[in-house]
Amino acid sequence: MTSPEPLAVVTVKDAKDAVLKVGQPSIVRAQTRVIHEEATAFLSDHFCHSARRRSPETWKSSAYLLCSWLEYLELLETDWQEATIDDLVEFQDAFASSICAQTGQPYDVNSLANRLNVVIAFYEYAASHLDYRGDIAAGVAQREVQQRRPVDAERLAHTRKGRKASQKSSEARKAVVAGSSTGKIRPFSPSELQPFLASIGPRASERAEGQSSRNRTLVDLGWGVGLRLDEIHQLTKYQFLTLSPDMDKPAECQTIFVRGKGSKGSGKRTRPVAVPNWLVIDIQAYIDTERKAALKAAGISPRVTMVVAPIGPELLQLGSP
């Protein structure tokens, strides 16, 4: 299945009629600017034209929260109207176990609650205005009444399945670590990391003619972002070409969603990760130079997959390490 064009949030800079307001957000396709009509209608009615929610910053932040949910669903190849309570639980868990790109810290309780509340409000709006008949809004409301739980960051905690099994699995993992020869993990020190990276190859933004930066890019995605190899294989070029890294702030990060090969069906797992600007710049350089040259040398048409092998047509395999 062809990956959909990434989503983006745009805001009104100059309102020329009474319908739009300065700062009013829309969710659109990043390149074609095709509007996500249902999400944009919700943002307009629920936030921008609400007497209680007058701050353009609130409108914009809510748009980004809803956009992250829609992007998550697209990675799962799931239409927003077909998403289930279980999808929403996994979405919340993905952020609860991840690092915020802006702060470098785990997402706090308020941030998780805001993200969840915006998504549920969207589905409640869809149920009353857009003929939505799914189970998210109704299911959340029904379960909260039955369980008599407050609306907070653990709003979906009672819907999770297999928690006891998960706890047993966690205990088993701890036992394996405790029973190992040393029980310790020895990471690279900064003085060891730099020579190791240099031995792999140059960064894509610094490579000379004839040098390959592909393997260095793969390794940087591993140590710098924490991606597994199967997650790297699932990356697309569009996830990076639509980003706008600030070259003056190389350590600041941007969020993308990743998934592994086994992320379909009952075992699907998708998570947000923070990619530093310096690495986004390197990946864009790799896509525009070495990757393009490898595809041309192999005589094959452009592909969506971000990683390709660097050698001739008989050995070139998309996504191959």
Side-chain angles (χ1 to χ4, degrees):
M1 178 178 177
T2 303
S3 299
E5 184 185 338
L7 294 168
V9 174
V10 297
T11 57
V12 174
K13 304 298 183 184
D14 181 19
K16 297 182 180 180
D17 56 60
V19 177
L20 298 176
K21 297 183 177 182
V22 173
Q24 181 168 336
S26 298
I27 296 178
V28 302
R29 293 294 172 187
Q31 295 175 327
T32 60
R33 288 299 192 261
V34 174
I35 294 176
H36 192 297
E37 296 181 2
E38 297 88 353
T40 300
F42 160 71
L43 293 169
S44 175
D45 293 347
H46 189 75
F47 288 97
C48 304
H49 292 87
S50 167
R52 295 180 298 163
R53 306 176 185 90
R54 299 181 177 180
S55 168
E57 286 302 315
T58 298
W59 306 345
K60 185 177 179 179
S61 63
S62 298
Y64 276 108
L65 296 181
L66 181 57
C67 188
S68 69
W69 163 248
L70 297 173
E71 288 177 326
Y72 176 84
L73 292 179
E74 289 195 343
L75 280 174
L76 300 184
E77 300 177 4
T78 300
D79 186 87
W80 71 266
Q81 298 188 69
E82 298 173 357
T84 66
I85 290 287
D86 289 338
D87 291 324
L88 192 53
V89 168
E90 291 189 352
F91 175 71
Q92 178 181 247
D93 286 348
F95 276 95
S97 60
S98 301
I99 301 298
C100 175
Q102 282 69 43
T103 66
Q105 301 295 322
Y107 288 91
D108 60 32
V109 171
N110 290 333
S111 176
L112 293 172
N114 290 339
R115 191 175 301 274
L116 198 60
N117 289 336
V118 169
V119 173
I120 293 174
F122 168 61
Y123 280 94
E124 290 173 342
Y125 173 87
S128 60
H129 294 77
L130 305 174
D131 198 33
Y132 168 71
R133 294 291 182 267
D135 73 341
I136 288 186
V140 171
Q142 182 180 10
R143 284 177 172 86
E144 284 179 354
V145 170
Q146 290 175 344
Q147 300 291 330
R148 297 185 180 182
R149 294 180 59 87
V151 179
D152 56 19
E154 284 297 298
R155 190 169 180 174
L156 298 171
H158 52 285
T159 69
R160 292 184 174 85
K161 300 177 181 179
R163 189 59 68 186
K164 291 184 178 179
S166 176
Q167 291 173 347
K168 290 181 179 179
S169 176
S170 177
E171 292 170 359
R173 287 194 296 272
K174 291 179 181 178
V176 170
V177 173
S180 64
S181 58
T182 64
K184 296 180 179 180
I185 297 175
R186 183 181 177 276
F188 274 126
S189 67
S191 61
E192 294 169 328
L193 179 61
Q194 292 304 322
F196 168 71
L197 294 176
S199 70
I200 295 171
R203 291 174 49 188
S205 59
E206 300 173 349
R207 77 182 185 95
E209 187 69 28
Q211 290 182 309
S212 173
S213 61
R214 173 187 176 276
N215 291 344
R216 173 62 182 270
T217 302
L218 295 178
V219 172
D220 286 343
L221 282 166
W223 78 266
V225 183
L227 296 190
R228 306 174 183 89
L229 188 58
D230 62 327
E231 292 173 330
I232 295 174
H233 285 174
Q234 299 300 306
L235 295 173
T236 73
K237 64 179 182 179
Y238 297 117
Q239 287 178 278
F240 297 97
L241 292 179
T242 55
L243 300 178
S244 300
D246 187 342
M247 300 183 69
D248 295 326
K249 299 177 180 178
E252 288 194 358
C253 295
Q254 303 194 46
T255 300
I256 65 170
F257 286 95
V258 298
R259 68 177 183 181
K261 285 184 177 179
S263 300
K264 293 185 179 180
S266 59
K268 59 190 176 186
R269 283 292 182 273
T270 302
R271 63 191 180 99
V273 295
V275 185
N277 281 333
W278 65 264
L279 184 50
V280 174
I281 293 169
D282 280 356
I283 291 172
Q284 290 178 343
Y286 163 73
I287 292 172
D288 289 338
T289 56
E290 185 177 351
R291 179 184 181 279
K292 183 182 294 184
L295 291 173
K296 183 177 180 180
I300 61 177
S301 58
R303 303 298 174 89
V304 170
T305 310
M306 192 273 284
V307 180
V308 299
I311 37 187
E314 71 282 1
L315 295 178
L316 189 144
Q317 297 178 6
L318 298 174
S320 176

